[in-house]
Amino acid sequence: MFIPIGAIAGWLWKWRGIWVAVGLSVLIELLQLLTQRGLCEFDDVIHNCLGAAVGIGLVTLLRYVFIKEECE
C-alpha cells in the first residue's frame, strides 16, 4: 500500500522521501495504538518502508531511463 506514497515522495524528494514514508507509517501505527483500532505492530512499519522504497526505486529507475533517452 505504500508503493504509491513512495512514488510520490520519490518524485518530490528523491531518496529523502523514505523519511516521509517512515514518519507516516509510524504515525499510523501510533494512532492504532492510541485508538486501539487495528493491530499496532512494528513489522508493519518495516513492510510499509519496504513498499515505499520500491515506489521510490521505480521513480528513480524511470527518471534514469527517460533522462538517458533525452541525452541521446
Side-chain angles (χ1 to χ4, degrees), residues 17-32:
I18 195 73
W19 295 110
V20 173
V22 169
L24 184 60
S25 182
V26 169
L27 178 67
I28 290 170
E29 293 302 316
L30 285 175
L31 286 174
Q32 287 179 351

Side-chain angles (χ1 to χ4, degrees), residues 2-7 9-10 14-15 17-19 21-22 45-61:
F2 266 63
I3 292 175
I5 292 170
K14 298 185 182 175
W15 281 105
I18 195 73
W19 295 110
V22 169
V45 175
I46 294 170
H47 294 135
N48 291 342
C49 292
L50 288 174
V54 169
I56 293 171
L58 288 173
V59 168
T60 304
L61 179 67

Side-chain angles (χ1 to χ4, degrees), residues 31-57:
L31 286 174
Q32 287 179 351
L33 177 67
L34 294 174
T35 61
Q36 297 180 352
R37 302 268 178 177
L39 293 172
C40 177
E41 296 178 340
F42 181 70
D43 63 337
D44 286 345
V45 175
I46 294 170
H47 294 135
N48 291 342
C49 292
L50 288 174
V54 169
I56 293 171

